[in-house]
Amino acid sequence: MPDTPDQISTSHPTTKPYLIRAIYEWCTDNGYTPYLAVVVDESTRVPVEFVKDGQIVLNVSLRPPAA
């Protein structure tokens, strides 16, 4: 078993996209808005005014926000 994400074996595809998709679908099916919290470093290109504690939170819903 790999010790870190960087040591993941290339013989098996990652399950991360499937887990993210499942959580996204669960959120939307149950009326929740799906968000992603992303760690920001010097190579991350985001509006810095929205970064808090080294993270930015993104609304990944396909629906526009409620007015």
Side-chain angles (χ1 to χ4, degrees):
M1 188 60 123
D3 293 331
T4 66
D6 295 335
Q7 297 173 340
I8 294 175
S9 170
T10 57
S11 63
H12 298 291
T14 181
T15 58
K16 287 179 188 179
Y18 300 98
L19 294 172
I20 293 169
R21 185 179 311 128
I23 293 169
Y24 175 89
E25 288 180 5
W26 181 88
C27 287
T28 57
D29 288 351
N30 288 285
Y32 297 112
T33 302
Y35 292 92
L36 288 177
V38 179
V39 175
V40 175
D41 63 16
E42 62 278 350
S43 65
T44 310
R45 296 177 56 192
V46 295
V48 293
E49 63 268 21
F50 296 105
V51 175
K52 183 177 180 181
D53 298 326
Q55 295 184 28
I56 188 167
V57 176
L58 305 171
N59 176 340
V60 293
S61 176
L62 293 177
R63 297 184 188 149

